[in-house]
Amino acid sequence: MSDLLRGLNPEQLAAVTLPPQHALILAGAGSGKTRVLTTRIAWLIQTGQVGPHGILAVTFTNKAAKEMLTRLSAMLPINTRGMWVGTFHGLCNRLLRAHYRDAGLPQLFQILDSGDQQAAIKRLLKQLNIDDEKFPPRELQHFINAQKEQGIRPGAVEAWDEHTRRRAELYQLYDEQCQREGVVDFAELLLRTYELLSRNEVLRRHYQERFSHILVDEFQDTNPLQYRWLRLLAGYPAATGTAMFAVGDDDQSIYAFRGADVGNMREFEREFKVQNIIRLEQNYRSHGNILDAANAVIKNNSDRLGKNLWTEAGAGEPIRVFEAYSDLDEAQWLVEEIKALVRDGHLSSEIALLYRSNAQSRVLEHALFSAGLPYRVYGGLRFFERQEIKHALAYLRLIANSDDDTAFARVVNFPTRGIGARSLEQLADTARQHKCSLHAAIPLLSGKAGAVLSGFAQLIAQMKEGSSHLPLPEQIDHVIELSTLKEHYRSEKEGQDRIANLDELISAAASFIAEERVAEDGTPETHENVLASFLAHASLEAGEHQAGEGDDALQLMTVHSAKGLEFNMVFLSGLEEGLFPHENSAMELDGLEEERRLMYVAITRARQRLYLSFSQQRMLHGQTRYNTSSRFLEEIPAGLLKWLKPRQNRSFSGGGSYSAPAYQSAAPRREQNAGGVPGLRIGAAVAHAKFGQGVVIGAEGGGNDARVQVNFGAAGIKWLALSVAKLEIL
DNA sequence: TACTATACGGTTTTT
DNA sequence: CCGTATAGTA
């Protein structure tokens, strides 16, 4: 046991070894939060206070859940089976699968991701002939999710105006549609589970008694429904002997815009009469100057629970600040600085380029690409969200649940099989009249529409019959074959990637059974169940896009996606009023404070060195904007900053042109080659087997993702992936 | 049905 | 500016 606790500081130790009571751990950035959480679980089990069975640990992301399990199995000799560790959504899925009847769901209910949800809403609006100008699907989706996250069903919506009343009606109709189709959206997973447990006393008691310790990660990110969900399982308001151990940092609450409510921390403290509040303020990540800057910035927020980070490490280097003339200059400066770092032996993967909004990455990417610096952009399209994968999954979903109209509509005419809008309209009418799914309405149709559609129904039946006895990967392979998706993509220009992804889906299924098989408990594993859990997995875990995972590349991401990560070197660019803090934040209540927390998160990502930069002018939405530096920059004590270039008074003449920055007049940079191919650079003449001769006019991406834009004259301008296209350099 | 023109909108994001 | 979505055309 001493092994387990060795190396913990007094506060960490106190948190880990708290008696089984409710506790709130205020864990600052870099204070060893995950370590405390996992060590707490290990300690509870090792000291015999609870078996793995009694542990419920909740996270927000699959990554965090996985990380926790990995660390736990390294700490504990026993295996982690029996412990419930997962995301809110993953755990709810598990509960609903186990009690689908009580929850009023079909056994093989499907999960709608946000894209599916939006498609379902659009379909509903269309079917009701509702003007989507007046009720934009996106807005309605947001409305519905916001209600669900407050635990509000359509009947309980507070509607003072006609428009809201109408939206509540649509919410009602949407829920009915989902129920009819046997699908649940993300918010519904939570709400349905909450209602199941609050309605069903036997079940509630069972889980309340089972989980004597509930541990919650990133508590500041919980929404009201999630908080109520936790409260229910903890037996509130009765004292059931369950101990809730919540870990969070109010200063890192940056998801209010999607429903998170930091107020839950105070609520928890009040409602659960939390006696144990422990602050983890010692930071093991950053040097002193960086922490001082972070503390100085966050100090400007009101209504904090209060916390001040400190470190035993020295002050370290000053924070470097750079003022650029334009976004292009800023990018150019970044490139030079990064090259110098790399020359000095710094690992590219230890250098992060952070920005407030995704739009900013474009300029950076372009500069990095031209400089031949490998980089990786986070937050792109994820594996299970790719269209070809969604198409293949839709066929699989129809096998599992033919009433899933979202899946039906997605693939009924993809690849095209002559089922046009007219036939589908007829089908939708019939389905509505008989109050049945699109699939179920097919036999009721006659004429041409009936003929083509029953062809599709036969295809689905064939897929089902032909593969029901096969193991999952073979089953998917079979379905893809019958779908003729690959044939379709063979003729498309980006088709090669798509076909490769479809093959990848089969291996994803193979590794899914290899991994999940072991972890799964209790539920009988019929063929159908395996397929359903794989589909749930695909919805719940969209899959990190694995391109260039292992490569040593610069890390580009938004500040939001950097949360939880750390790097030796951090560049934070675009520190301008209107950008960061974002102009829209001024409209929202507490918007500026959330932006400031975002700034706090950004600063605390850096271990050794932090660069801040801003630009006098920036191209945004096709227009040049002139910005002043961010107020957050002013909030950092001047003594911590080192301005990389003295601020000169640069007059700019009426025409709006600035004098050229100094470094641009330095020795001409050697243009690097695109994707490491000698001679392939902007302006180079190339030849392509199909398009003929052309000239390289653009380039982006790095390593395996490198693409070049080529003007083939008569054949047009094309983007070509270097890993795929065969280009001859002339 | 597939390709092209035009309009529109454009923080942040996980599940 | 630039990608997406919808409408319009061959």
Side-chain angles (χ1 to χ4, degrees), chain A residues 191-477:
Chain A
L191 184 51
R192 193 63 79 102
T193 309
Y194 174 79
E195 289 172 345
L196 169 69
L197 292 177
S198 61
R199 196 177 345 100
N200 190 326
E201 197 188 335
V202 178
L203 224 49
R204 183 173 68 244
R205 281 265 168 81
H206 170 78
Y207 285 105
Q208 282 173 348
E209 277 161 29
R210 167 174 177 167
F211 299 122
S212 53
H213 286 268
I214 301 177
L215 301 98
V216 194
D217 191 17
E218 306 278 18
F219 191 71
Q220 77 283 351
D221 287 339
T222 50
N223 67 35
L225 179 58
Q226 287 161 339
Y227 178 59
R228 284 167 62 181
W229 188 90
L230 290 167
R231 214 167 56 170
L232 194 63
L233 279 170
Y236 178 87
T240 53
T242 302
M244 182 134 89
F245 188 89
V247 182
D249 181 0
D250 54 324
D251 291 333
Q252 290 190 72
S253 153
I254 55 174
Y255 285 112
F257 72 92
R258 68 173 198 219
D261 183 2
V262 217
N264 288 337
M265 297 183 82
R266 280 235 160 82
E267 277 293 280
F268 173 55
E269 186 187 337
R270 193 178 60 81
E271 294 189 325
F272 286 73
K273 302 188 172 55
V274 177
Q275 301 299 311
N276 308 295
I277 299 182
I278 293 177
R279 289 180 162 74
L280 304 180
E281 298 176 295
Q282 181 173 2
N283 175 291
Y284 296 93
R285 179 186 295 159
S286 316
H287 280 132
N289 287 338
I290 294 168
L291 290 187
D292 288 348
N295 284 329
V297 167
I298 201 68
K299 198 178 65 198
N300 293 289
N301 269 4
S302 57
D303 213 29
R304 297 174 57 216
L305 293 172
K307 205 165 21 59
N308 217 41
L309 296 179
W310 61 277
T311 179
E312 281 177 352
E317 306 173 8
I319 292 162
R320 292 160 163 81
V321 189
F322 181 77
E323 173 175 12
Y325 294 89
S326 70
D327 46 354
L328 294 163
D329 298 339
E330 185 187 42
Q332 211 44 250
W333 164 76
L334 271 156
V335 163
E336 297 304 328
E337 207 65 46
I338 289 164
K339 276 189 188 167
L341 290 174
V342 173
R343 253 198 314 271
D344 290 348
H346 292 282
L347 222 48
S348 290
S349 55
E350 273 303 333
I351 304 174
L353 274 61
L354 308 184
Y355 34 81
R356 173 66 240 267
S357 61
N358 285 308
Q360 289 165 255
S361 77
R362 179 170 296 284
V363 181
L364 301 179
E365 284 187 69
H366 190 85
L368 292 170
F369 185 89
S370 320
L373 292 167
Y375 63 89
R376 174 175 176 215
V377 186
Y378 281 72
L381 197 59
R382 271 126 16 124
F383 182 72
F384 287 111
E385 279 165 359
R386 290 167 192 279
Q387 76 149 319
E388 62 277 17
I389 299 301
K390 296 231 77 165
H391 282 136
L393 291 175
Y395 283 105
L396 292 167
R397 278 162 58 155
L398 283 175
I399 290 179
N401 168 14
S402 54
D403 292 338
D404 186 339
D405 285 358
T406 304
F408 186 97
R410 175 180 275 272
V411 291
V412 64
N413 197 33
F414 192 95
T416 48
R417 42 178 77 86
I419 300 174
R422 306 165 313 281
S423 308
L424 288 178
E425 227 161 274
Q426 270 182 55
L427 182 66
D429 285 343
T430 313
R432 193 164 52 239
Q433 280 162 26
H434 295 263
K435 292 192 193 308
C436 65
S437 68
L438 296 171
H439 181 265
I442 291 178
L444 307 168
L445 281 187
S446 54
K448 192 174 161 226
V452 281
L453 278 160
S454 55
F456 180 68
Q458 261 169 35
L459 174 66
I460 299 302
Q462 215 180 328
M463 286 176 169
K464 196 167 180 171
E465 283 158 25
S467 69
S468 58
H469 58 283
L470 295 171
L472 185 65
E474 280 84 347
Q475 180 177 31
I476 296 177
D477 189 24

